[in-house]
Amino acid sequence: MKQRYSYTREIILNTIKISISHPNANSIFNEVAKTIPHISMNTIYRNLGQLVENKTINEIDLGGKAHYCGNLNPHVHLHCSSCNKLSDAEIYYEDFLKCFNSGDFEASDYYVEIKGVCKSCNQKQKIKAMENQVIKRIRISEK
């Protein structure tokens, strides 16, 4: 269904497209409110629903909370289980789908979320582990 132009919807869409963090509705509201100070959460939710319905953006369920992705190019999501950061990783769409097109099944679309630990959290975990080892050694030497 073709929708008429909406300045508010355009601002919401641009906020999502320039974000690399896959924002939730509250984050989008806070950012859009800088441009449209009297905007309501109802307006944000209504426009997000329309953008998702028209396949202008993707809605991602992240632990029961909706986040939004403006990247419509073929990609997968890398989800850090430590800080909950979600980032995009490009893939070769046709090659990826060929992996599943065999026998009685032909893939036409996909959503992939790969869980792990991002580089920043991984480094923090290594530092924390080293600190714990140092503390343990100090306690042993004090005995």
Side-chain angles (χ1 to χ4, degrees):
M1 176 175 132
K2 182 76 172 161
Q3 292 184 330
R4 61 189 174 111
Y5 174 78
S6 162
Y7 173 73
T8 302
R9 195 175 310 108
E10 181 182 345
I11 297 298
I12 292 169
L13 176 60
N14 288 337
T15 299
I16 295 165
K17 286 193 174 219
I18 64 171
S19 173
I20 58 169
S21 66
H22 301 81
N24 62 27
N26 287 331
S27 299
I28 294 166
F29 171 80
N30 291 333
E31 194 60 35
V32 171
K34 294 174 186 175
T35 306
I36 308 172
H38 301 292
I39 194 163
S40 71
M41 279 303 290
N42 283 341
T43 301
I44 295 291
Y45 281 121
R46 183 177 62 254
N47 281 280
L48 287 172
Q50 291 171 354
L51 290 167
V52 169
E53 183 179 318
N54 291 331
K55 298 186 184 336
T56 309
I57 62 172
N58 291 318
E59 184 178 68
I60 304 159
D61 181 347
L62 194 58
K65 195 168 191 179
H67 289 253
Y68 299 91
C69 180
N71 180 358
L72 299 180
N73 296 320
H75 68 284
V76 298
H77 289 116
L78 306 176
H79 179 196
C80 177
S81 56
S82 184
C83 68
N84 234 10
K85 178 182 171 186
L86 198 64
S87 53
D88 293 344
E90 289 186 36
I91 62 164
Y92 296 103
Y93 183 73
E94 285 80 17
D95 292 343
F96 184 77
L97 290 183
K98 281 180 190 175
C99 297
F100 304 99
N101 291 339
S102 60
D104 297 333
F105 186 79
E106 185 174 325
S108 60
D109 201 6
Y110 67 93
Y111 171 78
V112 177
E113 179 181 314
I114 300 170
K115 294 185 179 189
V117 180
C118 70
K119 186 176 183 178
S120 176
C121 288
N122 196 12
Q123 288 175 335
K124 288 176 188 174
Q125 288 174 356
K126 286 180 181 177
I127 290 169
K128 185 71 175 169
M130 285 190 290
E131 288 173 348
N132 288 339
Q133 286 178 352
V134 169
I135 291 169
K136 192 184 251 184
R137 287 181 185 157
I138 291 170
R139 288 183 182 151
I140 290 172
S141 66
E142 289 176 349
K143 291 183 180 181

